[in-house]
Structure formats: structure tokens, C-alpha cells
Amino acid sequence: MVRSPLTHLTRSIPRKSLFKKTPYTHIPSSKRNLNVIRYAPAEYPKGRKKQHEVEWTLIPRTEHFIQWENLTTKYIDTHTHLHSTLQQMKDAFNDGTMPASRIDSFVEHFFPEQCTAVVDVLGNMEDLALYSAAAGLAWREGFKYYFAIGAHPYHALVYDDSTHHAVTKILEHQQCVALGECGLDYFRTDSITWPKQRQVFIRQLEAAVFARKPILVYTRDAERDTFSILHDYVPTDHKLHIQSFTGSREFALKILKHWPNSTLGITGAITYSGSQHVAEMIEREEIPLDRIMLGSKSPFIVPKNIYPHLLKTTRPKLKREKFVAGHSGMLPIVAEAVAGLLNNALKKGGDRANNDDYLHKMDSILKSSNEVAKSFFGIKM
């Protein structure tokens, strides 16, 4: 494959950072105040003023179980972090009834029966034993557990030869369906880490191509380098997925065109104003439905429209309350949002707008995502 003149491993792009000149360090949920929602006033540039704090009440632990009485479709959550989700809830509620490693118990208690499969994304290189423990758990009847393994950009600095060898061995596991999420993050990391990120990204891409495993890509504020590296190291017929896509229109169209087997991940972020441009792309069908996979990206995203759903169902007096974490049980809300966007386009089209047979519904969007996921990962439900 022809290499571009770009020297990926040594090039450094000048950048004025608002962050300290140190590598990004993840703050565990146990050290955060989960009872506080932080926001920055719109008139203040990001990071320039001290953020205000607003006290919210946590929705009770038992009510994190979301019921979908009228949903008939079984579905796959293609992007979740089960251990992080469980740990975040344990930290918030100080609940010792479920050990942190028993994610099967978490699924049993909090996932609706319609959720019958997940792809658990394991990107923490400090605990590579998680996959073997999870694969051997007693999952509820009919539930399929799959996982992906790879070094998130935040863990690039600890990725060495021994880690790489371990990852390549784990790729051989029968329940490992992809490598990832791997990629580049120029938003929360200092530029001194970028050459190492690019190096680790390339090593993982080469391993995935050799093993013929689908690749889950994470990219933030690094689209140019991400595309360039993918272009040089990933064949056009390889399966490629951009996780939790919130990037630019140009980047999305280039990915979809260059890799015919590529897909984009749509999460609860689609319900927030910051992803309005992605919503518009879906509405205009620039992102075809057969190139979309739905994922919860739990625990990091709680779909905004889950709260109106609760107002209609279990909590009619909901006020100043919030979920501790998102989880796979909220994925139908994302499907509902996508259906609404596609129906907006139909309504603008005329004749079919008043015919329910042509309108998209939550079930039809979940079915479409299921078919894309089964083909992409080679999995069964």
C-alpha cells in the first residue's frame, strides 16, 4: 500500500491548549460529585471562568430500570462500557449488593428483556483480565455478551510491547468481535502525547488488519490525522466503524465513500444541540440508515429525551432529578430520535407524510441497526 508523504510519528501540529502541559488523566467516578451538574454560562469562553454548580437529586437506583412495554423488537447495544457503568452507579448509591465484576447481575437487574446482546468496549489497558472474567459469567437466558479490545487514546502512554502482544492474543477469543476503540484525541490531551498516540493507533490498525477484525475508531479534534492514518494502513474493503460520531460532515462523507463497509455510531449525543449537524445529516439521508449502528456509550451519555419519556410513564412529577449514568436500556430512545429525524424528511416530501406505512418507528430503526451490527460484527442474537 502506498504511503503518503505525511510522517505520522513525528509531525506535531501547533496548538494553543487550555489544559495543563501534562497528559490527560481520567478522574474516576468515585472522586467526582455525582450529585452536581456543572455548566458554563454561554457568554463565557470554555474553560475561562469558574463553572457554576447546580444541585440535582439523583433518580433512585431502582428506577434506573427503563421499561418498554410496547416495544416488540429485540436489540443490540453496539457500544457500551459495562464495568464503568456498574462502577459509576455503585459509587453514586454506595451500594454493596453487587460486586463490581458481576456485570451479569447488573444486566439482569437493569436491562429490559428486549436488550439481548451488547458489544462491551474494553479500552482500559490497565486491566486486560476483564474480558476473561466477563466472558465466563452466568448471563441471563438468551443474552449474548460480546466485547471489543483496544487501547483508547488516553491509554497510549502505557501501551508497550507486552500490552500489544496481550491485545493480539485476546483478538483470537471467540467472543471478541472487534479491535477498539483506538484512535486519536487532540482535545483532552497535550500535544506531547500525540506522536505516541499515532504510533499506538498504527500498531493496533496493523494488528486488526492482520487478524481481519473490524476496527472501532475514536477520534476527537483529530480528523485530518485520523483519516490520513486510516487511509494508509486500512484496506478499503476492511470493516471500519467511527464510534459515537459527532464529527464533521466532510469527515463522515470521506469515511463512508472510501470504505464501503464502514459505519457510523449514533448515540444519545444526537439528542443534544451540540450534535445538531449530525442530526441534519441523518435527516437529509447523507448518512444512510444502512450505515448506522446505535450504541448507548454508557455510562457517559444519558439521552436528553429520556426525561420526557419518564414524565409520560413512571415519574409524572419529575423535577430537578437526573440519572447517574446512561445504560443499554435507554437505547430505544436513541432509535426514537433517529426515527423522528427521518420522518421530518418524509413530512417535507409530501405524499407519504400522512401514511403511517411509510413513517419510521422506534422498532424499525432498532431492526435496521441490528442488521447492520450482525453483518459488521458477524454476531447472532
Side-chain angles (χ1 to χ4, degrees):
M1 189 177 296
V2 179
R3 296 283 188 264
S4 73
L6 174 64
T7 306
H8 302 297
L9 304 184
T10 58
R11 186 168 64 88
S12 181
I13 302 172
R15 170 176 176 264
K16 184 177 180 180
S17 175
L18 296 176
F19 297 88
K20 294 180 180 180
K21 296 295 182 179
T22 55
Y24 171 76
T25 302
H26 174 66
I27 302 174
S29 55
S30 59
K31 295 184 179 180
R32 300 188 218 127
N33 183 357
L34 296 175
N35 291 298
V36 172
I37 286 185
R38 301 179 183 277
Y39 69 93
E43 64 269 26
Y44 295 150
K46 184 177 179 181
R48 298 295 178 84
K49 294 287 184 179
K50 184 177 180 179
Q51 293 178 326
H52 297 269
E53 295 184 351
V54 178
E55 292 293 337
W56 287 63
T57 302
L58 297 180
I59 291 175
R61 171 185 175 276
T62 54
E63 295 187 29
H64 277 65
F65 173 74
I66 309 296
Q67 300 185 52
W68 301 99
E69 295 179 356
N70 298 321
L71 181 63
T72 59
T73 302
K74 297 178 180 179
Y75 65 86
I76 305 169
D77 184 356
T78 66
H79 182 182
T80 183
H81 306 273
L82 288 182
H83 291 89
S84 297
T85 307
L86 173 57
Q87 190 61 51
Q88 190 155 313
M89 292 191 67
K90 284 169 60 67
D91 292 342
F93 295 112
N94 195 25
D95 188 343
T97 60
M98 292 188 295
S101 61
R102 293 307 301 268
I103 52 177
D104 56 337
S105 296
F106 176 63
V107 168
E108 179 71 26
H109 285 84
F110 291 98
F111 285 21
E113 61 181 1
Q114 294 92 338
C115 181
T116 57
V118 298
V119 177
D120 192 12
V121 180
L122 306 175
N124 187 345
M125 295 295 97
E126 297 174 0
D127 195 352
L128 290 173
L130 285 178
Y131 85 93
S132 58
L137 292 174
W139 299 98
R140 71 186 185 192
E141 185 178 357
F143 187 84
K144 303 291 186 182
Y145 175 82
Y146 303 99
F147 69 90
I149 189 76
H152 190 282
Y154 298 164
H155 297 277
L157 294 181
V158 299
Y159 194 91
D160 54 20
D161 290 342
S162 62
T163 305
H164 184 71
H165 177 72
V167 168
T168 56
K169 291 295 292 183
I170 295 172
L171 286 176
E172 300 172 2
H173 195 282
Q174 62 179 358
Q175 287 172 262
C176 180
V177 295
L179 184 144
E181 49 190 350
C182 59
L184 305 174
D185 188 323
Y186 292 173
F187 179 74
R188 289 190 180 274
T189 59
D190 192 86
S191 58
I192 61 173
T193 71
W194 297 353
K196 178 65 173 179
Q197 284 189 46
R198 293 191 286 266
Q199 182 185 54
V200 170
F201 187 26
I202 290 171
R203 290 192 74 179
Q204 292 182 93
L205 293 178
E206 291 176 330
V209 171
F210 180 80
R212 297 187 177 182
K213 287 285 187 179
I215 301 168
L216 309 182
V217 177
Y218 176 99
T219 181
R220 191 166 186 189
D221 283 10
E223 290 183 350
R224 185 175 67 175
D225 279 6
T226 299
F227 184 85
S228 180
I229 291 174
L230 289 172
H231 180 274
D232 286 356
Y233 290 91
V234 180
T236 56
D237 61 348
H238 202 84
K239 293 179 179 179
L240 190 70
H241 178 68
I242 307 300
Q243 294 277 76
S244 187
F245 176 71
T246 56
S248 70
R249 176 178 180 271
E250 178 186 10
F251 180 70
L253 297 180
K254 286 170 64 177
I255 291 289
L256 294 175
K257 180 179 180 180
H258 192 78
W259 288 275
N261 295 320
S262 63
T263 58
L264 301 182
I266 300 300
T267 67
I270 198 69
T271 64
Y272 289 87
S273 59
S275 295
Q276 182 62 33
H277 63 295
V278 180
E280 292 172 355
M281 290 181 66
I282 294 174
E283 186 173 326
R284 294 193 299 263
E285 298 186 14
E286 291 179 319
I287 305 176
L289 193 55
D290 62 0
R291 307 290 289 276
I292 289 176
M293 285 199 292
L294 302 181
S296 65
K297 198 183 177 181
S298 65
F300 306 111
I301 298 179
V302 175
K304 186 177 181 180
N305 52 348
I306 193 69
Y307 295 102
H309 172 76
L310 288 183
L311 286 171
K312 296 176 183 177
T313 55
T314 58
R315 294 186 66 80
K317 296 182 180 180
L318 183 71
K319 185 178 181 181
R320 300 186 74 81
E321 294 179 290
K322 75 182 186 77
F323 284 101
V324 171
H327 61 73
S328 301
M330 300 179 184
L331 193 63
I333 278 288
V334 181
E336 184 179 65
V338 172
L341 293 170
L342 293 173
N343 289 336
N344 287 341
L346 287 176
K347 291 174 183 177
K348 294 175 183 178
D351 295 339
R352 297 183 176 183
N354 298 319
N355 191 335
D356 283 348
D357 293 338
Y358 290 105
L359 292 179
H360 296 276
K361 298 179 177 62
M362 180 190 295
D363 285 86
S364 64
I365 301 300
L366 288 171
K367 287 178 182 178
S368 175
S369 178
N370 288 344
E371 292 305 311
V372 177
K374 287 190 288 186
S375 174
F376 184 87
F377 293 115
I379 60 180
K380 299 179 180 180
M381 293 181 65

